[in-house]
Amino acid sequence: MEDQWRAYVDEQVNVPPSAEGVLHGLTYAVKDVFNIKGYVSGAGNPDWKRTHPIPSKSHAKAIELLMHEGATLKGTTHTDELMYSLNGENYYFGTPINPKVPERIPGGSSSGSAVAVAAGLVDFALGTDTGGSVRIPSSYCGIYGFRPTHGVVPIEGVIPLAKSFDTVGWMTQTMERLVQVGRVLIRGGSKDHVIKRIIIPEDVLELIDLEFRQITNEKIDQIKEHVDKVESVRLASGGLGEWLETFRVLQGAEIWETHGAWIEKYNPTFGPGIRERFEWTKSITEAEVQGALEKQKDIQKRMQDILQDDGVVIMPTAPSSAPMLNTDGEALDSFRQRLLRMTSIAGLSGLPQVTLPLVNKDGMPIGISIIANRKSDLGLLAWTEQILNKIEKVRGG
Amino acid sequence: MEDQWRAYVDEQVNVPPSAEGVLHGLTYAVKDVFNIKGYVSGAGNPDWKRTHPIPSKSHAKAIELLMHEGATLKGTTHTDELMYSLNGENYYFGTPINPKVPERIPGGSSSGSAVAVAAGLVDFALGTDTGGSVRIPSSYCGIYGFRPTHGVVPIEGVIPLAKSFDTVGWMTQTMERLVQVGRVLIRGGSKDHVIKRIIIPEDVLELIDLEFRQITNEKIDQIKEHVDKVESVRLASGGLGEWLETFRVLQGAEIWETHGAWIEKYNPTFGPGIRERFEWTKSITEAEVQGALEKQKDIQKRMQDILQDDGVVIMPTAPSSAPMLNTDGEALDSFRQRLLRMTSIAGLSGLPQVTLPLVNKDGMPIGISIIANRKSDLGLLAWTEQILNKIEKVRGG
């Protein structure tokens, strides 16, 4: 029955709780990049599993945190190869089926985790988010998703992609559950983050398909009513293309640093698209990296100035709902450029971002995101839950 | 009967041919910015007509050329106010109805001319194109449209918007007719333009809605089969946003130069959106203009290097099909930024651009454009007609 969603790599993996706790009775799944004692993670590529045959000696730290609070791990879920895609169409292992719009891609790289949650197979799921890999499948599958501040959720025991951007994120069907899991996983940061300003990034809004503008505008308008101040800004004076390029170069260089030796040693066979991107990471020069690091500093300062301690940026999570299944690779690569302009904003500054599901009049899911300053994770989640409750109350009343 | 399309400002305007010729028997309409002897043009704004009450003493030069070749002018058509919009929703005079997709805007500013052609009310229609005002409504209404090289079609007797960008363009229901009218209107340039290379601008393809990618790819693939060489390039190393900004500043400064004195004297009431744009044109500084002129030179050199004598750029005309009627102004303004990134490419270099109608699987029209080097207008039109005939033949056989 659950097979129909193709969410799981291995449903036999089962890790019971080690204690009772606040997640008692809840089930979850993890992307197949988390260490599980006695198990070999596959990272979405057959050559990875073949060349990393030794079972993990311990669980990833995030799994331990969840075990200690009573949650039961039910299985591992599909990922794009080495987490290096936002589509969820794995050349070797197929495509998990998007439960909300089955004719469209689920998004990736945490594709199976998003599908497992959207199909109701588990109460929540863990993914990883380097360049959008939790946020994008959450947006496409119509669920809640969270990418934490870089470093506040333990990443020990997770196969890396690009270390200064990698985060452990999670997905749920409700905001309440998103917060509940966050209270267990988020280690550090402040709960007392008072949000007074919402910031609308005009240059991000210019990127989205017009048909999703109305639904995002409506949600922004609802949120506006509950804050003191609304500001419109352009984030990037030189264009978000420059931010994307900065992200691509830094992420790419780190990817090669992380996986280059393995790739050169084993010459793994990657599927189309993934292969070309890995090849490109090898060609990045030190001068490009230095230039990008300088730009990253400017970008981080810009986001700091905009957000300060009391602001959140509100914007769509993606430029549109999920692309159709089997869209040709070139077209997806073009689309990826718009997508990364949006997802790299949080990535470049290590910012927390929550994505909430909206549905347009044609039934197409798209996420709307709230980004806050670093280490405000619990405050951001609490504020978002509060705002959604207020909106619900207004609409119910 | 014809009223239903709201294409015409004045259907009583009738200018018979002055001779027999190659356009014998054909009817046409002109945007309400062309001088017609004894008539007062309105330029889409009631205050314009009120403050310019003196009837024209002679026809616009383009009308004379058509008269001499046997065409009959049937009326004047609606325009956005002072041609300064790409939407076709005129606050004072309403919105001509897009015959292909009546729930969507017709595009502008040559809105009525596009509708008159798409509805079959005339054999062809004249518009003006400064920033896309022929190309965009042609794309939205599913017809053929042409913006000539700046200066090769006489613009005498046409209300200006921004003189170094203004062109007289035309729209038709067939490629054959587009060429036929071109042979009459285009004065100068070469017919012997041999096109050997097609150039696909990757950074433009990144701007379009994914749902239109397949149909444009298919058409590009069909065209590819009939040329020696296909190249993929990124036009703008610093991003097309920079090109758009260069265009906006130069166009805006010229608009204020052209219409500022009139605006300050009469304080005309413009509709929403238009007003703000005119106000902004007043604020442009000389330093901004000088900076933009420098950038324009670089852009012109870049396009020259790319196109040379034997190349054409092929790209979608717009990022998507027409927006829905009554989309809110902010959303249209955001969308306009993507739109102008595409239309300003030809504008900044004064290049000729032909747009051909495609229809996606949902019946939505979108144009695909071919841009060639300056003064190759007749060659571009002839080559395009030839290629379409070849494609037709392949498909027919």
Side-chain angles (χ1 to χ4, degrees):
Chain A
M1 149 84 192
E2 291 166 1
D3 274 355
Q4 67 172 310
W5 303 111
R6 302 190 206 137
Y8 289 115
V9 176
D10 192 340
E11 239 186 302
Q12 304 308 312
V13 172
N14 195 292
V15 181
S18 57
E20 289 208 352
V22 297
L23 303 178
H24 176 74
L26 298 187
T27 60
Y28 68 105
V30 300
K31 187 174 182 174
D32 195 22
V33 299
F34 284 79
N35 286 356
I36 295 165
K37 203 172 162 177
Y39 175 79
V40 180
S41 299
N45 177 275
D47 286 327
W48 181 272
K49 197 147 184 160
R50 183 177 61 76
T51 59
H52 293 80
I54 300 165
S56 300
K57 287 185 181 153
S58 56
H59 299 307
K61 187 77 198 294
I63 291 179
E64 296 230 322
L65 292 173
L66 297 170
M67 289 170 64
H68 291 321
E69 291 293 342
T72 300
L73 175 61
K74 276 198 63 181
T76 58
T77 57
H78 280 293
T79 168
D80 282 298
E81 293 177 69
L82 273 291
M83 304 75 86
Y84 201 13
S85 165
L86 296 169
N87 298 328
E89 294 185 303
N90 189 303
Y91 182 73
Y92 294 104
F93 301 110
T95 308
I97 294 172
N98 187 327
K100 302 287 169 68
V101 268
E103 72 282 11
R104 290 173 184 262
I105 64 175
S109 63
S110 309
S111 52
S113 289
V115 167
V117 168
L121 309 182
V122 282
D123 295 311
F124 65 96
L126 296 189
T128 57
D129 188 313
T130 304
S133 285
V134 163
R135 292 165 286 165
I136 294 306
S138 298
S139 180
Y140 290 175
C141 290
I143 57 177
Y144 293 79
F146 190 67
R147 174 200 160 94
T149 298
H150 185 260
V152 307
V153 173
I155 198 144
E156 288 89 337
V158 178
I159 301 172
L161 177 61
K163 289 177 185 171
S164 78
F165 301 105
D166 290 345
T167 62
V168 169
W170 55 98
M171 293 115 135
T172 63
Q173 276 200 358
T174 67
M175 186 66 212
E176 195 186 357
R177 182 125 309 143
L178 200 74
V179 177
Q180 191 184 12
V181 175
R183 290 209 187 100
V184 172
L185 290 176
I186 295 164
R187 319 305 280 180
S190 160
K191 281 179 212 197
D192 309 321
H193 199 79
V194 180
I195 290 163
K196 293 181 179 164
R197 289 180 303 124
I198 69 172
I199 298 136
I200 314 296
E202 293 299 328
D203 40 359
V204 176
L205 291 180
E206 289 168 9
L207 295 170
I208 74 166
D209 283 13
L210 198 47
E211 62 175 312
F212 294 101
R213 184 62 189 260
Q214 194 182 337
I215 181 81
T216 54
N217 273 7
E218 282 168 12
K219 186 53 76 178
I220 290 172
D221 286 346
Q222 289 170 356
I223 297 173
K224 274 180 182 174
E225 289 179 23
H226 303 284
V227 287
D228 299 345
K229 207 170 162 191
V230 179
E231 298 167 8
S232 275
V233 302
R234 297 189 76 80
L235 298 180
S237 59
L240 285 165
E242 195 176 86
W243 292 30
L244 153 66
E245 198 48 32
T246 303
F247 179 81
R248 275 180 76 229
V249 167
L250 294 177
Q251 185 202 30
E254 289 189 16
I255 287 172
W256 187 254
E257 201 182 308
T258 306
H259 293 301
W262 171 72
I263 291 172
E264 301 237 299
K265 184 169 176 188
Y266 293 105
N267 192 24
T269 49
F270 292 117
I274 313 281
R275 183 174 42 231
E276 290 78 358
R277 281 204 282 284
F278 272 110
E279 275 167 17
W280 167 77
T281 65
K282 189 183 174 178
S283 73
I284 301 168
T285 66
E286 183 54 29
E288 286 173 318
V289 171
Q290 287 308 320
L293 283 170
E294 285 302 308
K295 277 195 187 140
Q296 187 187 25
K297 274 185 209 155
D298 295 341
I299 292 166
Q300 289 177 343
K301 182 167 184 317
R302 173 70 180 148
M303 287 307 294
Q304 183 63 41
D305 289 347
I306 288 172
L307 290 167
Q308 300 172 35
D309 281 339
D310 64 345
V312 289
V313 165
I314 304 192
M315 57 182 240
T317 307
S320 77
S321 61
M324 297 297 283
L325 288 167
N326 305 313
T327 298
D328 83 72
E330 270 184 20
L332 285 178
D333 278 349
S334 289
F335 183 69
R336 180 179 164 85
Q337 309 308 312
R338 266 203 282 158
L339 204 52
L340 282 174
R341 276 172 169 78
M342 299 173 74
T343 57
S344 62
I345 295 167
L348 281 163
S349 295
L351 303 174
Q353 179 171 349
V354 56
T355 175
L356 320 171
L358 303 179
V359 179
N360 85 349
K361 61 177 174 35
D362 301 322
M364 293 294 152
I366 191 169
I368 188 160
S369 274
I370 309 179
I371 298 175
N373 216 331
R374 285 178 59 82
K375 306 220 168 166
S376 65
D377 303 60
L378 288 168
L380 168 60
L381 285 169
W383 180 79
T384 304
E385 186 177 24
Q386 205 179 46
I387 290 287
L388 293 186
N389 286 340
K390 282 182 183 169
I391 290 171
E392 197 52 45
K393 217 168 173 179
V394 170
R395 293 167 74 188
Chain B
M1 150 82 190
E2 292 168 1
D3 273 354
Q4 66 172 309
W5 303 110
R6 302 190 207 137
Y8 289 115
V9 176
D10 193 338
E11 240 185 303
Q12 305 307 312
V13 172
N14 196 294
V15 181
S18 57
E20 289 207 353
V22 297
L23 303 178
H24 175 73
L26 298 187
T27 61
Y28 68 105
V30 301
K31 188 173 181 175
D32 194 22
V33 299
F34 284 78
N35 286 355
I36 295 164
K37 200 173 168 178
Y39 175 79
V40 180
S41 298
N45 178 275
D47 286 327
W48 181 273
K49 197 148 186 158
R50 184 177 58 75
T51 59
H52 293 79
I54 300 166
S56 299
K57 287 184 184 153
S58 55
H59 299 307
K61 187 78 197 293
I63 292 178
E64 297 228 322
L65 292 173
L66 298 170
M67 290 169 64
H68 291 320
E69 291 293 341
T72 301
L73 175 61
K74 276 198 62 182
T76 59
T77 57
H78 280 292
T79 169
D80 282 298
E81 294 175 69
L82 273 292
M83 305 73 89
Y84 201 14
S85 165
L86 296 169
N87 298 327
E89 295 186 301
N90 188 305
Y91 183 74
Y92 294 104
F93 300 111
T95 307
I97 293 172
N98 186 327
K100 302 284 169 69
V101 269
E103 72 282 12
R104 292 174 182 262
I105 63 175
S109 63
S110 308
S111 52
S113 288
V115 168
V117 168
L121 309 181
V122 282
D123 295 310
F124 65 95
L126 296 189
T128 58
D129 188 313
T130 304
S133 286
V134 162
R135 292 166 286 165
I136 294 304
S138 297
S139 180
Y140 290 175
C141 290
I143 56 176
Y144 294 80
F146 190 68
R147 173 200 161 93
T149 298
H150 185 260
V152 307
V153 174
I155 198 143
E156 288 90 336
V158 179
I159 300 172
L161 177 59
K163 289 178 185 171
S164 78
F165 302 104
D166 291 345
T167 62
V168 169
W170 55 99
M171 294 115 136
T172 63
Q173 276 199 358
T174 66
M175 187 66 212
E176 194 186 356
R177 182 127 308 144
L178 200 73
V179 177
Q180 190 183 14
V181 175
R183 290 207 187 100
V184 173
L185 290 176
I186 295 164
R187 317 305 277 182
S190 160
K191 280 181 213 193
D192 308 320
H193 199 76
V194 179
I195 290 163
K196 292 181 180 165
R197 290 179 302 124
I198 70 172
I199 298 136
I200 314 295
E202 294 300 327
D203 42 357
V204 175
L205 292 180
E206 289 169 11
L207 295 170
I208 73 166
D209 283 12
L210 197 48
E211 63 174 311
F212 294 101
R213 184 62 190 261
Q214 195 183 335
I215 180 81
T216 54
N217 274 7
E218 282 167 13
K219 185 55 75 179
I220 290 173
D221 286 345
Q222 290 170 356
I223 297 173
K224 274 180 183 174
E225 291 178 22
H226 303 283
V227 286
D228 298 344
K229 208 172 162 191
V230 179
E231 297 167 8
S232 275
V233 301
R234 297 189 74 81
L235 298 181
S237 59
L240 286 165
E242 195 176 87
W243 291 30
L244 152 67
E245 198 49 32
T246 302
F247 179 80
R248 275 181 76 230
V249 166
L250 294 177
Q251 184 201 32
E254 289 188 16
I255 287 173
W256 187 254
E257 200 183 308
T258 307
H259 293 301
W262 171 71
I263 290 172
E264 301 236 300
K265 182 169 179 189
Y266 292 105
N267 191 24
T269 50
F270 291 117
I274 312 282
R275 181 173 44 230
E276 290 79 357
R277 279 204 282 284
F278 272 110
E279 275 167 16
W280 167 78
T281 63
K282 188 182 175 180
S283 73
I284 300 168
T285 65
E286 183 54 28
E288 287 174 318
V289 171
Q290 287 309 319
L293 284 170
E294 285 302 309
K295 276 193 188 140
Q296 187 187 25
K297 275 185 210 157
D298 295 341
I299 292 166
Q300 289 178 343
K301 180 165 184 318
R302 173 73 180 144
M303 288 306 294
Q304 182 64 40
D305 289 347
I306 289 172
L307 290 167
Q308 300 171 38
D309 279 339
D310 63 345
V312 289
V313 165
I314 303 192
M315 57 180 239
T317 308
S320 76
S321 62
M324 298 294 285
L325 288 168
N326 304 313
T327 298
D328 83 70
E330 271 185 18
L332 285 178
D333 278 350
S334 288
F335 183 71
R336 180 179 164 85
Q337 307 309 310
R338 266 203 283 158
L339 204 52
L340 282 174
R341 275 172 170 79
M342 299 173 74
T343 56
S344 62
I345 295 167
L348 280 163
S349 295
L351 303 174
Q353 179 172 349
V354 56
T355 175
L356 321 171
L358 302 180
V359 179
N360 84 350
K361 62 179 171 39
D362 301 322
M364 293 294 152
I366 191 170
I368 189 160
S369 274
I370 308 177
I371 298 175
N373 216 332
R374 286 178 58 82
K375 307 220 170 167
S376 65
D377 302 60
L378 287 169
L380 169 61
L381 285 169
W383 180 80
T384 304
E385 186 178 23
Q386 204 179 48
I387 290 287
L388 293 187
N389 285 340
K390 282 181 184 169
I391 291 171
E392 196 52 46
K393 216 168 174 180
V394 171
R395 293 166 74 188

